[in-house]
Amino acid sequence: QQLATPAARSVFRRRAPRSSRSRSSLPPRPFTTRTAMTIAKRPNPAAAVRRCLLLLLSTNAILGTRAFAPAPPSPLARTSSPLASAPRALRAEAEGGGSEAEALADDGAEDAADSREEESRKEDEEAERSRTDLKRRLYQLAASYDRGFGATPRAREQADSIIDRLAEINPTEEAARGIDGDGSGEEVPLKAVWRMVWTSAFDVVSLGASPFAAPSAIYQDISDPPVATNIIDFIPRAQTFLPSAISPPSLLRAEVTTRASSRRGKPNRVGLIFESVKLQPIEILGRKVDNLPPLSVDLTWPRTLVEGLAGFVPGLDSLGLKVDGEDANADAPGYFDVDYLDEELLIIRQNAPGGVFALVKVDSCDP
């Protein structure tokens, strides 16, 4: 290269590879129109954003619309604010009302109330399941041992245990409410017709020992308080095991009418005053004879006589013969206590001669 002429050196530089020449040794290129177009084609995000904003602003100004104005809140948004579903503490802080401590206390009270309500609901469901299971077992005993007339000592113990457990979860408070029938319009929980399905009372169980008559259906009709009528249907003993073609049906109905009343201080106790006893033949050898006059005995006159003498004979007023209002004696003879009562089952315990009765609600007591 030292011996080469200037012309030869210029030719060598034009033909030399591009990589063999340094960028700094090359002469600067002139700024032509093609160079400007090349630079313009290079991407420039900031310039693109500015051009879009200018285009939108010019379009909005031309159309005169409120494209960028905030939309008015809907009626639903005004009535139901997002803060409504937020915790009370956050609402108080956002709205600027009340202290945060008060809001947290309110939240704690609400949580405690919800927890108590949930526990109460679970307890009610558990008690309902227990009631259903106990009633089912009692019905099974009643069907297996002829309502208690053929019960063994073990069966009576099982029934007493079931009844005691039902009494612990009795859903009805103040079962004697409204039994006086004073026309106050108060609800009467006992108002219904009840049919006996189990008993351990000796005065009723002993009726099954007769060789001539057998007890059929047994009812307690309290459909018209304060009148409570005990009904026992009797049929011939032979009718229980002979076909109807050999032994035509016969039926005798015994009714004991009593007047029920509440006892002071005992919300589940119902006092009874016996008023009359009636024997009515319903059917004889397959023929209806309910139009025959019944045999009736009035039991009110002895009580009226004793009440009249109570003012002259000391000690008669302590028998508790007055059972109305404030004069009622809670422990006077003639009453039963309600151990259990719901929409379908009634369990009562009589004072004398003792024993329990389980009865189910029925539509009527027609024979």
Side-chain angles (χ1 to χ4, degrees):
Q1 293 180 0
Q2 295 177 357
L3 299 177
T5 60
R9 284 197 298 269
S10 62
V11 172
F12 176 79
R13 282 196 299 267
R14 284 196 301 269
R15 293 183 178 182
R18 186 177 183 89
S19 58
S20 62
R21 293 180 295 173
S22 63
R23 187 175 299 273
S24 58
S25 61
L26 295 179
R29 294 182 178 180
F31 187 83
T32 61
T33 304
R34 182 175 180 180
T35 305
M37 293 177 64
T38 303
I39 295 174
K41 289 181 180 180
R42 295 176 182 174
N44 191 347
V49 172
R50 286 195 298 271
R51 285 195 296 270
C52 291
L53 289 176
L54 289 175
L55 180 61
L56 289 175
L57 290 175
S58 61
T59 305
N60 186 36
I62 293 172
L63 297 178
T65 61
R66 301 176 61 186
F68 293 92
S74 63
L76 180 61
R78 289 194 298 269
T79 56
S80 59
S81 173
L83 291 174
S85 60
R88 189 183 298 270
L90 296 180
R91 294 202 304 268
E93 183 178 357
E95 296 173 359
S99 64
E100 184 177 356
E102 294 177 355
L104 291 175
D106 292 341
D107 283 342
E110 288 182 357
D111 294 341
D114 293 341
S115 177
R116 288 193 298 269
E117 183 178 356
E118 181 68 18
E119 291 179 359
S120 177
R121 184 183 63 82
K122 291 181 179 179
E123 291 177 357
D124 293 342
E125 292 178 354
E126 181 64 26
E128 184 62 29
R129 285 192 294 267
S130 299
R131 283 191 287 264
T132 302
D133 180 67
L134 292 172
K135 289 191 293 185
R136 177 184 57 81
R137 292 166 56 187
L138 181 61
Y139 295 155
Q140 289 176 348
L141 287 174
S144 301
Y145 294 96
D146 189 19
R147 299 173 296 173
F149 290 102
T152 62
R154 176 178 174 82
R156 291 194 183 97
E157 291 178 0
Q158 291 177 351
D160 291 341
S161 176
I162 293 173
I163 290 173
D164 292 341
R165 293 179 60 184
L166 282 172
E168 295 175 356
I169 52 176
N170 180 21
T172 304
E173 298 179 355
E174 299 183 2
R177 182 176 65 251
I179 196 64
D180 299 286
D182 52 3
S184 60
E186 188 177 17
E187 181 186 2
V188 184
L190 288 172
K191 184 177 181 179
V193 178
W194 305 91
R195 183 172 60 203
M196 191 195 77
V197 296
W198 176 267
T199 185
S200 61
F202 176 77
D203 57 336
V204 177
V205 173
S206 61
L207 297 175
S210 172
F212 306 105
S216 181
I218 300 177
Y219 301 92
Q220 186 155 20
D221 184 3
I222 320 179
S223 57
D224 187 20
V227 177
T229 305
N230 299 324
I231 301 173
I232 303 178
D233 290 339
F234 292 96
I235 61 175
R237 175 66 65 179
Q239 188 175 318
T240 61
F241 57 86
L242 292 178
S244 59
I246 300 176
S247 177
S250 299
L251 179 65
L252 176 66
R253 168 162 288 191
E255 297 183 4
V256 180
T257 303
T258 63
R259 182 167 296 274
S261 62
S262 58
R263 293 292 176 90
R264 181 177 50 194
K266 301 288 185 177
N268 290 329
R269 177 165 295 181
V270 177
L272 299 174
I273 294 295
F274 293 89
E275 294 188 340
S276 65
V277 177
K278 182 175 69 173
L279 295 177
Q280 175 68 58
I282 303 298
E283 191 175 12
I284 297 177
L285 299 177
R287 294 182 179 271
K288 295 290 185 180
V289 292
D290 52 356
N291 55 349
L292 293 178
L295 176 62
S296 302
V297 178
D298 186 10
L299 301 177
T300 58
W301 69 267
R303 179 171 57 89
T304 305
L305 178 61
V306 173
E307 286 180 351
L309 295 175
F312 304 97
V313 180
L316 288 182
D317 53 351
S318 63
L319 296 178
L321 297 175
K322 295 182 179 181
V323 293
D324 297 328
E326 296 297 330
D327 295 331
N329 187 351
D331 297 323
Y335 67 84
F336 64 81
D337 291 322
V338 178
D339 284 355
Y340 182 87
L341 175 62
D342 62 11
E343 296 81 3
E344 65 176 25
L345 179 64
L346 166 66
I347 300 177
I348 60 177
R349 189 182 303 271
Q350 65 179 4
N351 67 321
V356 297
F357 294 83
L359 308 98
V360 295
K361 184 183 293 187
V362 294
D363 296 333
S364 68
C365 55
D366 296 335

